[in-house]
Amino acid sequence: MTTETSAPATSDADTTVAAPATPGDSNAPGEDTAHGPSTGISNTKLAMWLFLGSECLLFGGLISTYLLYKTRRGPDNLAIPTDVFDIPFTSISSFVLLMSSLTMVLALAALTRGDNHGARVWLLATSMLGGVFIGGQVYEFTSFLREGVGFTNNPASSAFYALTGFHGVHVSLGIVMLMSLFVASWQGKLRQEHSETVEVVGLYWHFVDVVWIFIFTVIYLVPA
Amino acid sequence: MSTTTSAHEAAADGAPEDAAHEHPEHEHPSDWAYVKIALILAVITAVEVFTYFETVLDWGSFLIPSLLIMMVIKFWLVATWFMHLKFDNPIFSKMFVGGLLLAVGVYVAALAAFEFWA
Amino acid sequence: MTITEPTIEGPKTEGPLELESGREAIAERPLGVLTRPQGGRGWRDWLSTVDHKKIGIMYGVSAMVFFVVGGIEALLIRLQLAVPNGGVLSADVYNQVFTMHGVTMVFLFIMPLAAAFANYLIPLQIGARDVAFPRLNALSYWVWLSGAIFLNSSWIVGGGGADCGWFCYSPNSGVTFSPSHGVDFYAIGLLIAGIASLVSAINLIVTCLNMRAPGMDLFRMPVMTWMLLITQFLLLFALPVITVALFLLMFDRLFDASFFNPDMGADPLLWQHLFWIFGHPEVYIIILPAFGVVSEVIPTFSRKPIFGYTFMVFSGIAIGFMGWGVWAHHMFVSGIGPISVAAFSLSTMFIAVPTGVKVLNWLATMWGGQIRFTTAMLFAVGTVAMFTIGGLSGVTHALAPADTQQTDTYYIVAHFHYVIFGGGVLGLMGGLYYWWPKIFGFMLNERRGKVNFWLMLIGFNLTFGPMHILGLQGMSRRIDTYSSGFGFEFWNMVATIGSFIIAVSVLVLFHNIWKSKREAADLPPPGPDPWDARSLEWMVPSPVPEHNFDEVPTVESLDEWWHRKYSFDDNGKVVQIATAEEAAQDGSAKGVHLPAPSFWPLVLAVGLPLIGYGLIFNLWLCVPGGLLVGMGIFAWALEPVDDPDATHDHDGHDDDDDDHDDDGPDDAELAAAPAAPGDSTAGAPAAPGDKQGGE
Amino acid sequence: MLFRSGPRRRRRPEGLILGLALLLTGCAADAELDTFQDQSETARQINDLAIPVFIVAGVVLVLVCGAILWMSIKNRVPADDDYEGEFPTQISHNNRLEIGWTLGPFVIMVVIAVATLVTHLAINSTEANAIEVEVDGQFETWEPRVVVVGQQWWWEYRYYLTEDVTTDDLGDPWNLPEADIVTAGQMVIPTGEEVELIITSRDVIHSHWIPALNGKKDAVPGLYTPWKIEADEPGVYFGQCTEFCGLSHSRMRMQAVAVTRSDFQDWIHAQMTSATMPTDENSAEYRGMQVFSNFCASCHLVNGLNDGDYNGAETVSGSAPDLTHFASRTTFGGGLFNTYNSDGSLNDDDLAAWIRNPNDVKENYADDLPEGALPRGMPDMGLSERQIDDVIAFLATLGPRPTHAQILATEVE
Ligand code: HEA
Ligand code: HEA
Ligand code: CUA
Ligand SMILES: [Cu+2]
């Protein structure tokens, strides 16, 4: 049995040397040895990525619910969303959302270069594209309702509206954020130094887009 | 267009670095590179939608796998390029991919419990 | 994970904590009463504080309040079951009481108590001034509290508590079978509380990864911090799952959807999967902080380093991972197929392996040590023994065939109280005794502490030990009464007596706190390091000054603080190189800039329950609720930007005295902590401001 | 009488545990739900798996606690922090040891896992044999199979003797195909035969559990879960619903009555005989029948009385116990009350109390309902005492009386 006897990690000598200076003399008031983030990465960005990781489980749950229920018509055999999908229409709005990722990343690129005006334009474009997508979703929902697919019809339609509705709410919040950035930019408060803020909002926006990439394929295109 | 990874790796030796390294501005791709990615995305989407319309080719059992593959490629392109995972600190990828894989694993197992192992 | 690059020093671009000194001019206050508070004395300070220590204390105090609430519910349960055909509670009330007991204890007592330790200790143990996002931290406390109050308000305004059991299986949770509003409160209350935990999980993970002191590699972090970090990851990924489940339940109940209604063709097992995909990680969320406490207390009082630090950390990580693959062991008899049952049975068993590593490493830490049985140590050792009992009964459930006999009996109730109370609660009690002097600046009396411990240990075993027997004798759980003739009488009476002994022990704890506080004036202060401990929080004065560290320490090894006091001579013997008093900081730093307090988290948190009541009673109520939330978010995001002084980037305030708990009203500046728009669900536009000024 | 060993019970080498368990269960003289009193092959297989693991767990526990105690005594030093002894050797780790106690438990768990799988397969496989039963003078081969339906707060057992009804034929639990025999609260099975159970529910989730015979299985609405049951010896085996199912979950009990093959045949005969309706217009039974038609027939089925126009009960679950052979059953109200007194006479007291107001003796949600809501449980019908007596008299005519021995054996507290 090899029992190692030692202080972990460092040699004792080092440890001793590292003993802190006596309080009072070495650290004068205000001489706070500030230290940056230990990993050197931005807190806000890291937080956003963690949040997006967690969102994967949220959307995963909603998507699984839909997949489990997608053909369940309930006892009255009512219509389910797949009956009334309008693939051409949804393809267009999916494409719009996809392209909004491009405008988003261009907004960020512009701002990082210091091109405030370009950033503003692209931000506006992004939120408009998002707005078109939401408009399309509102249209889709109302036409589905007209065609008899109501939220309370059956498990399939409840699950469909819950999933796409949650996604829509995410997009809408994204639009609110983008518009806030746009307004800030307009007021001249959004400048090159703020590109990280735009980047973080962008991450959120792209995430919402990739979720839709998933939804579009798995919910709309994969045949029942 | 430089795709060098962050300066943080260089920091691994523990030497205190100066401010420039502290918050490195990555050399991001040019706008044109982004547009190219978007074009690829557009093309893939077109192919996806095409599978829905065209009736001549018989996709048969290839349909679903090819749709899923195209989906993964799109997902990956957006995440690596537009979300900069390709250029950014790998910690970000770890956090995100961790959540993603966990979600896939857990929910696939749960759905399997309903469908196949029932 | 290999995120181990040493800390980089240099001007930071992030983080509220590195602030320029100097007093800022008082800014305009465009917001009237809600002007950014300056910090003050008394209760207003607590309402607006963003200090992780105060937030930790508030979490802890609130948790103890709910412990009493949940405990009184438990006592009612035990009174009802003391004798056959008990008549203390009606069946209806009994069902509400045990449901609310479970919900209260899990979500409103033990999780927030663990959150209290996480908030208080993580920054201190990694050598940071605060968490990464101080205002988000305040938000998480206030949101949790509003969720907790909301949940319990159903006793008064909801027609009673939820009556569906803490895992609230559908369709029993549907409106048909639970027509009162209790379950609505359950769903919305837990959703609100979930936001809190999610926010704080993100915050604390970023803190652990990004705010470490120079030299504080991940593998120099104390085991406590590690376990808390793993807990935060579990929360991060588990909460969205129950969020989905609760939303769907809410849609079913309030908007007539059909997610869980079998009449509509839904599958009731969906709820079970979603709940337990969350629920099993949840039980490790409960136990890992206690494991952390034990891993700090045992080395300190054995005068040895933790045995096998690396194994300790990796077994914790392994538990965290494996915890995701076992959820259906709660569903062995629920009608999932035999293949699923077999798969989950096997995966469950192997969790015993990493957990066993922990238990055995603790024993090895004590082995050959010099064990000082302080109250904290008694609790820690008690935790090891009691948790082992609970873990072993857990292994017997993992055998799916055996579990068909055990599930939903008191044998399960015995299991989970042994792990939750015997592991989680005893462990955190140990933490309370251990860190009390650090947090409050006076020691809890040891003699009364030991009375507290022994009463609790005895009462606990008398209460829950017999439940093993009752369960195997066939007593089902969640029954409001039982007949005589099944042989349940004797042990039920014993259990009831035991539960009152626990109650007495809790009263002894409260008495001890009160009395020790009064006696403290006559006793010498505990000093920075009363226990001769090992980690960084013991190098700052007790109680911890508001700015934590006078100077952020540079870390050279695991157990940094111990190595600043002791070294080895040529023969490998331990020699003292400095006393604690010599090595410690004296809390005298001046001009350290701390993030400024804010009222917005509180405003935002008040809005959420209003939305909740609105959803249940009258949608119009959602309007003021939504306005409050929206206002909170926007004002929060704009706080720094609105401030003409924001060019200074960070506010600071002079800490004129080293008193930990207030700043004079005079050192006011309006400048803002950098906005922390991490919570994008809330739709906060990210506020510019970290790197540079506004205008 | 713990561990009353049945004749077919094998001896097991767990004298130690047995003694310990006896000690712990103390005065549990008649613990009818005791999981250790296994009376069937399946229950024994489960205990054969569980008990050795209990022993392993006990050993681990003794080792862990022993080590703690030993160190507490041997390594203890005064707690006051002035203790100035020399430091113990600072051992920080030992990889070999640690790998050892990672692998040790791992190996133990592998062994347990294999045993678990074996038992799991065994208790989830069926080897039911078809048996001959005589129904209405015809001999039928019957795959022993009972459809078990839970609802708030009682169990229904359905026997399909004349045709082979499997899960696929059942449709939804609210419209099950008509069965030959329908009982409530008591399931009668022939001894020594494996009987397949198909378990489902008509409202919330319940769980069917007869501890002496087998583990539980949930009754999930919309799902048919397979399970099985068998008993070595004739006898009465108590059970309890074990999934929380609302208000009277604690009062949702049942019994499995195992009888010999010939007794089983007799029971079939009795159950297959329709109830005969009273004809003497002046008799209490006749008046009771009228009361029943007026007040009870909207929920309860009595073959020969209302089977023509019966469409299920006006309750949330759409069901109420089939009372055609009510008097042949020895318990009622979800296994809660005795239909007969110990002396063999009808238990009018409990019956009257039940009909007077069920909610008083077994809590339910059947009275004072909001508009449009259906009852869960049986409502207070507001009958006069006279009507109650009459209806009891009528109920007593429904089906042949059980034997006195049976009454005594199945008695509940
Ligand atoms: C703190 C919370 C906590 C913890 C840590 C655990 C830990 C474990 N739990 Fe427990 N569990 C609960 C809380 C917890 N549980 C709750 C609340 C419920 C009920 C929920 C409800 O229904 O209301 C429950 C229910 C529950 C069930 C479902 C029972 C049922 O309803 O039918 C099962 C089944 O497998 C189970 C198993 C386990 C296992 C295998 C562990 C393992 O992690 C234990 C591992 C530990 C050890 C094994 C001891 C130490 C190890 C050694 C000393 C090494 C040597 C050991 C061996 C070789 C065996 N638990
Ligand atoms: C952290 C988790 C936790 C904790 C600490 C406890 C603590 C206790 N639990 Fe709890 N319990 C659960 C979690 C917990 N429980 C869960 C999840 C369930 C399942 C619920 C369900 O089935 O849905 C459950 C179920 C449960 C049951 C089963 C109910 C049933 O199935 O019908 C019982 C029965 O005895 C019980 C008892 C107790 C007792 C006696 C305590 C005691 O340890 C409590 C001790 C505390 C006190 C006694 C309070 C002390 C304070 C005072 C006394 C102050 C007095 C003040 C004034 C007078 C002003 N619990
Ligand atoms: Cu039925 Cu519990
Ligand atoms: Cu579990």
Side-chain angles (χ1 to χ4, degrees):
Chain A
M1 189 166 84
T2 56
T3 321
E4 289 127 70
T5 308
S6 97
T10 46
S11 82
D12 319 322
D14 289 348
T15 323
T16 346
V17 174
T22 351
D25 37 66
S26 84
N27 53 326
E31 268 192 343
D32 182 13
T33 35
H35 62 287
S38 332
T39 52
I41 56 181
S42 140
N43 283 352
T44 325
K45 240 165 98 181
L46 181 55
M48 178 50 83
W49 276 112
L50 287 166
F51 174 69
L52 297 182
S54 131
E55 289 268 277
C56 290
L57 282 117
L58 184 98
F59 280 104
L62 292 163
I63 292 169
S64 312
T65 303
Y66 178 76
L67 291 180
L68 180 66
Y69 283 164
K70 69 177 180 180
T71 55
R72 301 204 183 186
R73 295 172 178 274
D76 303 326
N77 210 17
L78 297 177
I80 57 175
T82 39
D83 296 345
V84 296
F85 275 167
D86 180 352
I87 301 290
F89 182 83
T90 313
S91 302
I92 293 171
S93 58
S94 305
F95 185 73
V96 167
L97 191 62
L98 195 62
M99 288 307 116
S100 77
S101 267
L102 174 63
T103 54
M104 183 72 236
V105 82
L106 293 177
L108 175 61
L111 193 64
T112 344
R113 286 196 292 274
D115 174 2
N116 291 353
H117 181 260
R120 199 174 316 154
V121 170
W122 288 124
L123 280 174
L124 186 64
T126 310
S127 32
M128 305 262 279
L129 289 173
V132 170
F133 176 83
I134 289 296
Q137 194 166 39
V138 170
Y139 172 80
E140 185 189 47
F141 280 13
T142 44
S143 72
F144 280 15
L145 283 175
R146 261 199 319 277
E147 293 175 67
V149 178
F151 180 58
T152 58
N153 266 20
N154 43 38
S157 48
S158 290
F160 173 80
Y161 286 109
L163 169 59
T164 51
F166 258 92
H167 181 266
V169 169
H170 274 77
V171 176
S172 309
L173 288 176
I175 296 174
V176 173
M177 289 193 260
L178 290 169
M179 288 311 291
S180 309
L181 290 178
F182 173 75
V183 170
S185 166
W186 204 38
Q187 297 176 338
K189 291 185 191 159
L190 187 72
R191 294 189 309 268
Q192 191 171 9
E193 318 86 83
H194 303 109
S195 52
E196 186 181 284
T197 305
V198 176
E199 187 178 0
V200 168
V201 172
L203 288 178
Y204 174 83
W205 188 260
H206 297 305
F207 175 78
V208 171
D209 184 25
V210 292
V211 170
W212 190 259
I213 288 176
F214 199 101
I215 292 178
F216 179 58
T217 306
V218 171
I219 280 45
Y220 286 88
L221 289 181
V222 169
Chain B
M1 174 175 88
S2 151
T3 55
T4 45
T5 38
S6 76
H8 307 306
E9 269 144 47
D13 60 7
E17 296 192 48
D18 69 16
H21 291 109
E22 172 62 14
H23 205 262
E25 291 305 323
H26 310 292
E27 287 204 39
H28 287 153
S30 66
D31 285 3
W32 172 234
Y34 289 133
V35 173
K36 277 192 291 189
I37 297 295
L39 283 176
I40 300 175
L41 288 169
V43 169
I44 300 178
T45 308
V47 176
E48 284 180 331
V49 177
F50 176 72
T51 65
Y52 175 78
F53 287 110
E54 71 71 45
T55 41
V56 186
L57 287 171
D58 180 16
W59 291 81
S61 51
F62 286 107
L63 175 59
I64 294 181
S66 31
L67 280 176
L68 292 181
I69 290 170
M70 287 187 280
M71 175 187 90
V72 171
I73 296 174
K74 282 165 75 183
F75 197 111
W76 182 78
L77 283 175
V78 174
T80 50
W81 286 83
F82 290 173
M83 298 172 96
H84 297 153
L85 279 183
K86 196 174 163 107
F87 320 104
D88 241 339
N89 194 303
I91 294 177
F92 297 140
S93 311
K94 282 179 191 149
M95 297 302 150
F96 180 62
V97 174
L100 188 65
L101 291 183
L102 193 60
V104 171
V106 161
Y107 290 122
V108 166
L111 286 176
F114 280 106
E115 300 290 330
F116 307 117
W117 302 343
Chain C
M1 273 193 298
T2 52
I3 322 165
T4 47
E5 300 98 300
T7 307
I8 299 150
E9 289 199 54
K12 65 305 333 27
T13 53
E14 250 318 304
L17 301 175
E18 341 7 288
L19 310 171
E20 271 169 38
S21 64
R23 181 172 300 199
E24 319 285 344
I26 295 178
E28 289 171 66
R29 303 183 171 190
L31 297 163
V33 263
L34 287 170
T35 297
R36 179 153 235 183
Q38 316 298 310
R41 292 178 193 276
W43 60 272
R44 292 206 30 195
D45 179 35
W46 290 88
L47 292 185
S48 62
T49 186
V50 295
D51 176 358
H52 72 98
K53 296 178 291 299
K54 286 186 183 154
I55 291 169
I57 291 171
M58 290 195 290
Y59 256 124
V61 170
S62 323
M64 292 311 287
V65 169
F66 285 106
F67 183 42
V68 173
V69 173
I72 289 173
E73 283 156 356
L75 296 180
L76 287 172
I77 294 176
R78 288 314 324 161
L79 278 179
Q80 166 77 4
L81 295 178
V83 293
N85 306 314
V88 179
L89 305 174
S90 70
D92 188 26
V93 174
Y94 181 86
N95 294 344
Q96 297 170 28
V97 165
F98 82 70
T99 302
M100 292 300 283
H101 163 70
V103 173
T104 303
M105 286 298 199
V106 169
F107 296 96
L108 311 186
F109 162 55
I110 196 146
M111 284 175 72
L113 189 58
F117 282 106
N119 267 297
Y120 201 97
L121 290 174
I122 287 180
L124 286 168
Q125 290 202 324
I126 62 172
R129 284 266 155 77
D130 204 321
V131 294
F133 304 103
R135 282 188 296 171
L136 276 189
N137 206 24
L139 177 75
S140 91
Y141 170 72
W142 292 114
V143 168
W144 169 79
L145 186 68
S146 65
I149 293 172
F150 178 85
L151 191 55
N152 272 281
S153 72
S154 81
W155 287 115
I156 300 155
V157 298
D163 58 358
C164 52
W166 85 284
F167 45 71
C168 215
Y169 276 3
S170 67
N172 200 27
S173 56
V175 251
T176 320
F177 300 105
S178 185
S180 82
H181 284 301
V183 180
D184 301 326
F185 279 84
Y186 166 96
I188 297 172
L190 292 186
L191 276 173
I192 297 177
I195 297 173
S197 303
L198 183 65
V199 169
S200 96
I202 293 176
N203 199 347
L204 293 174
I205 294 172
V206 175
T207 306
C208 276
L209 296 184
N210 263 4
M211 310 294 287
R212 281 167 284 134
M216 177 58 83
D217 295 356
L218 284 180
F219 285 92
R220 288 178 189 166
M221 296 195 314
V223 180
M224 175 73 173
T225 299
W226 259 110
M227 295 304 123
L228 291 169
L229 175 61
I230 297 165
T231 305
Q232 304 313 314
F233 271 105
L234 290 175
L235 282 166
L236 179 75
F237 293 129
L239 282 164
V241 186
I242 193 169
T243 302
V244 171
L246 293 170
F247 263 115
L248 302 187
L249 175 64
M250 187 183 90
F251 291 156
D252 260 16
R253 289 185 57 93
L254 299 177
F255 307 115
D256 210 15
S258 41
F259 289 105
F260 303 120
N261 184 352
D263 289 348
M264 296 295 289
D267 195 326
L269 294 188
L270 176 64
W271 169 269
Q272 299 189 13
H273 278 288
L274 291 176
F275 187 91
W276 292 119
I277 289 173
F278 154 80
H280 192 84
E282 166 71 21
V283 309
Y284 294 114
I285 290 167
I286 293 173
I287 198 66
L288 287 176
F291 283 181
V293 172
V294 171
S295 306
E296 299 292 297
V297 172
I298 288 188
T300 296
F301 295 112
S302 303
R303 287 204 165 152
K304 283 178 60 195
I306 186 85
F307 189 86
Y309 172 83
T310 323
F311 266 70
M312 275 311 217
V313 170
F314 278 103
S315 62
I317 295 174
I319 292 172
F321 268 110
M322 295 173 74
W324 285 93
V326 301
W327 74 87
H329 64 215
H330 297 274
M331 301 166 62
F332 282 154
V333 306
S334 70
I336 56 174
I339 301 180
S340 306
V341 170
F344 283 100
S345 175
L346 297 195
S347 63
T348 302
M349 285 176 205
F350 288 95
I351 285 207
V353 175
T355 321
V357 168
K358 287 198 164 303
V359 169
L360 295 168
N361 275 8
W362 288 323
L363 297 186
T365 306
M366 290 166 67
W367 193 266
Q370 289 165 356
I371 304 177
R372 290 178 290 157
F373 275 108
T374 56
T375 309
M377 183 64 173
L378 286 173
F379 272 109
V381 172
T383 304
V384 176
M386 295 303 110
F387 173 78
T388 301
I389 299 180
L392 292 169
S393 63
V395 169
T396 66
H397 308 325
L399 321 175
D403 189 56
T404 63
Q405 288 286 20
Q406 298 162 359
T407 188
D408 277 318
T409 67
Y410 266 80
Y411 188 70
I412 305 293
V413 178
H415 158 67
F416 70 72
H417 283 95
Y418 265 84
V419 280
I420 292 189
F421 195 108
V425 180
L426 290 187
L428 294 183
M429 286 292 154
L432 215 59
Y433 275 91
Y434 184 61
W435 278 290
W436 192 274
K438 178 55 55 190
I439 299 172
F440 295 105
F442 65 93
M443 310 274 284
L444 290 177
N445 179 291
E446 280 287 311
R447 203 171 39 81
R448 285 189 294 264
K450 284 175 185 161
V451 174
N452 178 185
F453 169 76
W454 286 110
L455 277 179
M456 194 172 266
L457 190 78
I458 293 167
F460 162 74
N461 280 291
L462 279 182
T463 309
F464 301 111
M467 291 185 188
H468 292 107
I469 303 165
L470 285 169
L472 294 174
Q473 259 176 255
M475 178 161 165
S476 295
R477 64 191 282 203
R478 300 175 159 187
I479 52 175
D480 63 284
T481 183
Y482 53 92
S483 309
S484 51
F486 293 112
F488 300 157
E489 293 88 339
F490 178 72
W491 290 116
N492 268 303
M493 181 52 88
V494 173
T496 300
I497 293 169
S499 68
F500 279 84
I501 298 179
I502 303 180
V504 172
S505 76
V506 176
L507 291 176
V508 170
L509 171 71
F510 294 154
H511 171 72
N512 193 7
I513 293 171
W514 179 72
K515 202 73 189 289
S516 301
K517 169 81 189 164
R518 292 194 19 171
E519 291 166 357
D522 306 329
L523 294 170
D529 183 22
W531 310 119
D532 196 7
R534 317 181 69 87
S535 46
L536 286 181
E537 71 272 27
W538 303 101
M539 75 178 286
V540 297
S542 314
V544 181
E546 184 154 15
H547 58 272
N548 292 0
F549 297 93
D550 298 344
E551 179 194 29
V552 168
T554 300
V555 177
E556 316 245 318
S557 66
L558 177 65
D559 289 333
E560 172 72 15
W561 171 236
W562 190 86
H563 287 285
R564 291 182 179 210
K565 295 180 292 182
Y566 299 99
S567 184
F568 297 95
D569 67 13
D570 298 339
N571 307 324
K573 283 225 168 72
V574 176
V575 288
Q576 186 164 33
I577 52 173
T579 66
E581 277 67 25
E582 287 161 5
Q585 301 183 343
D586 65 0
S588 63
K590 293 229 167 45
V592 177
H593 293 266
L594 296 170
S598 172
F599 274 121
W600 299 117
L602 180 56
V603 170
L604 211 164
V606 171
L608 291 172
L610 279 182
I611 297 180
Y613 290 118
L615 286 170
I616 294 174
F617 295 113
N618 184 336
L619 285 176
W620 285 111
L621 263 179
C622 293
V623 174
L627 283 177
L628 276 181
V629 171
M631 173 168 99
I633 293 173
F634 267 89
W636 173 326
L638 294 174
E639 215 163 28
V641 179
D642 266 355
D643 187 339
D645 288 320
T647 31
H648 294 283
D649 190 4
H650 301 300
D651 82 289
H653 50 228
D654 296 349
D655 216 7
D656 293 44
D657 48 352
D658 39 4
D659 187 350
H660 69 292
D661 65 6
D662 60 11
D663 355 301
D666 52 328
D667 48 1
E669 25 341 76
L670 246 246
D679 181 8
S680 58
T681 12
D690 286 353
K691 290 189 289 214
Q692 58 6 246
E695 305 300 11
Chain D
M1 262 216 334
L2 181 71
F3 292 100
R4 169 179 67 191
S5 27
R8 279 174 63 185
R9 199 165 163 285
R10 280 173 286 124
R11 280 223 42 76
R12 285 197 232 89
E14 69 269 354
L16 184 91
I17 284 283
L18 193 121
L20 199 70
L22 270 175
L23 193 82
L24 290 175
T25 42
C27 43
D30 51 353
E32 280 126 335
L33 295 167
D34 196 322
T35 55
F36 286 124
Q37 298 188 26
D38 40 25
Q39 300 289 322
S40 79
E41 180 63 23
T42 320
R44 255 193 315 277
Q45 284 168 337
I46 293 175
N47 277 340
D48 284 349
L49 171 70
I51 289 175
V53 177
F54 283 142
I55 295 173
V56 173
V59 171
V60 172
L61 180 63
V62 168
L63 289 178
V64 168
C65 290
I68 290 179
L69 277 182
W70 191 71
M71 287 186 284
S72 303
I73 294 161
K74 172 154 177 291
N75 297 343
R76 172 182 195 127
V77 299
D80 36 278
D81 48 28
D82 306 327
Y83 176 71
E84 290 293 347
E86 198 163 280
F87 267 69
T89 329
Q90 301 286 299
I91 306 169
S92 70
H93 63 291
N94 178 322
N95 285 339
R96 250 193 263 170
L97 251 186
E98 292 177 78
I99 291 171
W101 60 54
T102 311
L103 289 181
F106 181 82
V107 170
I108 299 178
M109 293 322 299
V110 168
V111 174
I112 294 180
V114 171
T116 301
L117 277 186
V118 171
T119 312
H120 176 66
L121 291 179
I123 68 170
N124 280 288
S125 63
T126 42
E127 46 211 50
N129 298 314
I131 58 174
E132 288 271 287
V133 290
E134 190 196 334
V135 183
D136 294 338
Q138 304 273 328
F139 280 93
E140 306 274 351
T141 12
W142 182 55
E143 302 259 9
R145 180 181 295 140
V146 181
V147 177
V148 178
V149 194
Q151 47 261 297
Q152 287 179 329
W153 289 273
W154 56 283
W155 292 97
E156 179 177 282
Y157 299 99
R158 304 173 71 90
Y159 296 73
Y160 296 89
L161 301 171
T162 47
E163 57 197 310
D164 196 29
V165 171
T166 63
T167 307
D168 296 336
D169 313 319
L170 287 174
D172 76 72
W174 296 274
N175 296 302
L176 294 171
E178 205 171 310
D180 297 303
I181 299 175
V182 182
T183 74
Q186 284 180 324
M187 169 171 58
V188 179
I189 54 170
T191 47
E193 297 297 339
E194 205 173 282
V195 178
E196 190 189 326
L197 302 182
I198 299 176
I199 303 179
T200 190
S201 160
R202 293 190 177 110
D203 41 36
V204 301
I205 301 179
H206 306 268
S207 195
H208 195 265
W209 187 36
I210 312 280
L213 303 185
N214 204 346
K216 349 184 147 53
K217 195 65 120 184
D218 281 4
V220 185
L223 215 67
Y224 290 101
T225 32
W227 200 220
K228 65 178 180 182
I229 201 161
E230 80 178 300
D232 298 339
E233 295 296 318
V236 180
Y237 307 97
F238 287 73
Q240 156 81 46
C241 172
T242 36
E243 187 67 77
F244 178 64
C245 53
L247 194 63
S248 265
H249 160 65
S250 66
R251 298 175 208 80
M252 181 165 170
R253 300 186 193 157
M254 63 281 197
Q255 294 174 345
V257 181
V259 295
T260 61
R261 280 285 293 282
S262 71
D263 285 350
F264 187 66
Q265 184 60 59
D266 293 347
W267 178 75
I268 290 178
H269 276 311
Q271 297 292 312
M272 294 305 295
T273 324
S274 281
T276 43
M277 292 303 120
T279 45
D280 174 1
E281 302 198 3
N282 295 319
S283 65
E285 289 82 357
Y286 190 87
R287 289 194 304 275
M289 180 177 77
Q290 286 176 319
V291 173
F292 192 91
S293 300
N294 292 337
F295 291 97
C296 321
S298 59
C299 289
H300 291 286
L301 178 71
V302 170
N303 281 329
L305 181 70
N306 63 343
D307 43 343
D309 50 26
Y310 182 77
N311 278 320
E314 291 164 3
T315 59
V316 164
S317 63
S319 62
D322 181 327
L323 296 182
T324 311
H325 295 95
F326 174 73
S328 75
R329 305 201 283 264
T330 51
T331 63
F332 73 93
L336 210 58
F337 309 102
N338 294 309
T339 319
Y340 298 95
N341 296 316
S342 319
D343 61 8
S345 63
L346 196 69
N347 182 0
D348 334 47
D349 290 348
D350 281 351
L351 271 170
W354 175 263
I355 295 166
R356 202 172 291 127
N357 186 357
N359 188 29
D360 277 353
V361 288
K362 175 173 176 179
E363 288 181 71
N364 66 25
Y365 293 112
D367 305 312
D368 308 322
L369 295 166
E371 264 275 67
L374 287 168
R376 290 183 282 147
M378 172 164 144
D380 172 3
M381 303 306 297
L383 302 187
S384 68
E385 288 302 310
R386 165 96 190 260
Q387 286 172 310
I388 292 174
D389 292 342
D390 290 347
V391 88
I392 291 175
F394 170 68
L395 290 175
T397 67
L398 298 173
R401 286 208 171 194
T403 64
H404 196 195
Q406 220 171 324
I407 291 171
L408 289 180
T410 53
E411 215 162 34
V412 293
E413 195 240 344

